[in-house]
Amino acid sequence: EDKVVQSPLSLVVHEGDTVTLNCSYEVTNFRSLLWYKQEKKAPTFLFMLTSSGIEKKSGRLSSILDKKELSSILNITATQTGDSAIYLCAAKSSGDKLTFGTGTRLAVRP
Amino acid sequence: NAGVTQTPKFQVLKTGQSMTLQCAQDMNHEYMSWYRQDPGMGLRLIHYSVGAGITDQGEVPNGYNVSRSTTEDFPLRLLSAAPSQTSVYFCASSSPGDRVYGYTFGSGTRLTVV
């Protein structure tokens, strides 16, 4: 059975802190690893990682995949209150199937 | 705007009633799927389809039916609603060749079964 595990489950930080969110996966026919941000509504896409060791960046967010360790991290630097959300990790397998983790709930205090 | 459209946004059902959640996409995506999201559970796959006429079960298919008669539409049917089906439902679509954007999600349907 495909499985994605995220840690920590929740996190409270202060504005300006740097956070690292973790994701590990056990998926048959793995294709790629995706990160989403979910606020009040539908998840919004952040990154898709296919190649190991190549960092993807978007502003203060960055992510990297380690295929050897079957894991990925999402870094957020200089956090802002607008970063408060649930961050979801998902592993894509053949047939375009996505298996999601339970998410990390991040709260950024002013 | 192109995307995934879900209707209705909110629904209250009585136990035993049936209903259909609608999902339509205009991006010509081959792959469509339905997820439910419960507190602390992440998104769990209910059913998915890799193309018109082809559907398959996901992680939590019991109590739900789907069909895919066209590329655009992928309705989810609740056969006899139960309180355990109270959840937020998301429809998503993707194109397997898309190496950039992954999935596109609809805005969700919040269903309450009383």
Side-chain angles (χ1 to χ4, degrees):
Chain A
E1 183 182 329
D2 295 343
K3 191 175 171 184
V4 175
V5 177
Q6 292 186 246
S7 64
L9 291 181
S10 65
L11 194 54
V12 180
V13 300
H14 288 96
E15 271 192 318
D17 288 349
T18 293
V19 298
T20 298
L21 310 183
N22 301 290
C23 174
S24 63
Y25 61 90
E26 290 179 36
V27 170
T28 304
N29 295 320
F30 173 80
R31 293 288 183 264
S32 56
L33 194 290
L34 290 83
W35 285 96
Y36 287 87
K37 178 182 181 181
Q38 186 177 27
E39 295 173 270
K40 296 198 185 301
K41 292 189 177 178
T44 53
F45 175 77
L46 294 174
F47 298 110
M48 182 193 292
L49 304 156
T50 307
S51 302
S52 197
I54 297 176
E55 185 182 51
K56 290 212 171 177
K57 290 196 76 169
S58 177
R60 296 176 294 102
L61 277 67
S62 64
S63 184
I64 195 162
L65 175 66
D66 185 338
K67 280 187 172 179
K68 190 175 174 185
E69 297 294 327
L70 305 183
S71 66
S72 174
I73 60 171
L74 174 69
N75 282 320
I76 308 174
T77 60
T79 52
Q80 302 171 356
T81 55
D83 295 327
S84 297
I86 297 172
Y87 290 85
L88 296 164
C89 167
K92 184 188 276 198
S93 55
S94 57
D96 244 36
K97 183 181 164 191
L98 271 189
T99 302
F100 281 86
T102 54
T104 294
R105 184 180 293 273
L106 174 65
V108 181
R109 303 280 187 243
Chain B
N1 287 342
V4 178
T5 303
Q6 280 185 245
T7 56
K9 292 194 186 314
F10 302 94
Q11 183 71 49
V12 178
L13 287 179
K14 293 183 178 178
T15 297
Q17 285 185 316
S18 62
M19 80 158 294
T20 299
L21 307 186
Q22 301 291 345
C23 176
Q25 53 91 9
D26 57 3
M27 298 171 284
N28 204 31
H29 281 171
E30 299 95 326
Y31 189 90
M32 296 185 75
S33 52
W34 278 101
Y35 291 86
R36 59 178 288 173
Q37 187 174 31
D38 303 298
M41 301 289 288
L43 277 80
R44 292 184 292 169
L45 182 64
I46 304 171
H47 285 286
Y48 65 98
S49 168
V50 298
I54 306 168
T55 64
D56 206 347
Q57 296 182 350
E59 183 185 351
V60 287
N62 292 339
Y64 307 95
N65 268 357
V66 291
S67 60
R68 184 99 180 265
S69 55
T70 66
T71 300
E72 294 78 18
D73 299 298
F74 191 45
L76 178 72
R77 297 183 189 83
L78 278 71
L79 309 171
S80 176
S84 61
Q85 293 178 304
T86 294
S87 189
V88 179
Y89 291 84
F90 289 103
C91 178
S93 73
S94 70
S95 180
D98 188 340
R99 308 290 284 181
V100 178
Y101 294 111
Y103 275 31
T104 301
F105 281 87
S107 57
T109 296
R110 185 174 292 275
L111 176 68
T112 302
V113 182
V114 297

